[in-house]
Amino acid sequence: MSTSAHSPVGASAPTVAPDPAGGTVTDRLVEANIQYAAEFRDPGMDARPVLRVAVVACMDARLDLHDALGLSLGDCHTIRNAGGVVTDDVIRSLTISQRALGTRSIILIHHTNCGLESITEEFRHELEEEVGQRPVWAVEAYKDADQDVRQSMQRVRTSPFLLYTDDVRGFVFDVTTGLLREVFPAS
C-alpha cells in the first residue's frame, strides 16, 4: 500500500483495471453477474435484517464477513469503509438501519495488519498538494486497533441519533487466524 497520494516517479496511473483474461475487471464482474442472475430467484425478503444487527467493518478484501460470522443473506446490514471506523456517514447509515429498518445490535470490526496503521493524516496534505483541494474527510489513521475500536464504540454510544446503544460490541479480526478478539470499552 502506498502511503503517498502521489504516483511513483515516472509511473502513470492506469485508466482501467486490467484483467488477465482480456477486457477489464469490471467487464469480468458484469459477466459474472449475468451468470448469477440467470440462476437468481427472489428470496422474498425485505430490507429489514433478520437478526436485527448492523456490522461495521473495514473494507479490506481479506475479510469475508458473512463466512467469518456465520451469516446468511438477509441476516444483517453491513457497513464497510477504510478501517471500519465510525464516521459521520457510518452514524448516518446506522441511524437509518435502526430507526427505519429495525436493527438493535451493532458489531464493530477492525482487523490486524490494517492499511490505516501505515499511513497518517499527512495523506490529506499530499492530496491537497496534488489536486489543489483539501479533502473534507479525515483519513482516520491509527496505530492501535484496540484503541480505535474503543473510540468507535464511544462514538456509537454517544450519538444522539442512535436509539439502541446498549448492545454495541467491538472486535479485532486476526487476518492470519480468522478469529475475532473482543475489545472491551475503557473503564
Side-chain angles (χ1 to χ4, degrees):
M1 167 184 225
S2 172
T3 59
S4 173
H6 302 284
S7 299
V9 175
S12 60
T15 55
V16 292
D19 182 2
T24 67
V25 171
T26 303
D27 292 333
R28 187 184 76 193
L29 298 177
V30 170
E31 181 59 35
N33 174 255
I34 292 168
Q35 294 172 17
Y36 170 80
E39 305 286 325
F40 183 78
R41 298 297 171 257
D42 180 359
M45 344 176 140
D46 67 13
R48 294 175 180 273
V50 173
L51 298 179
R52 296 168 46 136
V53 63
V55 178
V56 178
C58 185
M59 66 187 190
D60 193 294
R62 297 172 289 182
L63 277 69
D64 183 343
L65 292 174
H66 276 76
D67 276 354
L69 300 174
L71 296 168
S72 297
L73 182 68
D75 281 348
C76 72
H77 282 158
T78 306
I79 304 161
R80 296 182 80 159
N81 66 20
V85 295
V86 175
T87 61
D88 287 344
D89 194 58
V90 169
I91 294 293
R92 178 188 71 88
S93 293
L94 289 171
T95 301
I96 293 166
S97 179
Q98 284 190 353
R99 291 178 177 261
L101 298 166
T103 60
R104 298 294 180 263
S105 300
I106 298 172
I107 297 173
L108 307 172
I109 301 176
H110 285 31
H111 65 91
T112 58
N113 196 26
C114 184
L116 280 186
E117 294 173 340
S118 65
I119 64 175
T120 67
E121 291 297 323
E122 183 64 26
F123 184 83
R124 292 178 68 229
H125 302 293
E126 293 170 356
L127 279 173
E128 180 180 18
E129 288 176 12
E130 181 180 329
V131 303
Q133 180 179 342
R134 179 176 291 211
V136 297
W137 39 263
V139 174
E140 297 278 353
Y142 57 85
K143 297 292 182 202
D144 181 337
D146 287 37
Q147 181 55 34
D148 205 69
V149 169
R150 285 185 194 96
Q151 176 176 298
S152 290
M153 285 191 287
Q154 185 65 19
R155 286 178 178 174
V156 167
R157 287 191 172 118
T158 60
S159 173
F161 305 109
L162 298 173
L163 297 172
Y164 304 98
T165 58
D166 55 332
D167 189 14
V168 177
R169 292 175 63 187
F171 300 86
V172 174
F173 177 87
D174 188 317
V175 297
T176 60
T177 66
L179 288 172
L180 289 175
R181 179 177 47 76
E182 189 156 8
V183 176
F184 298 97
S187 5

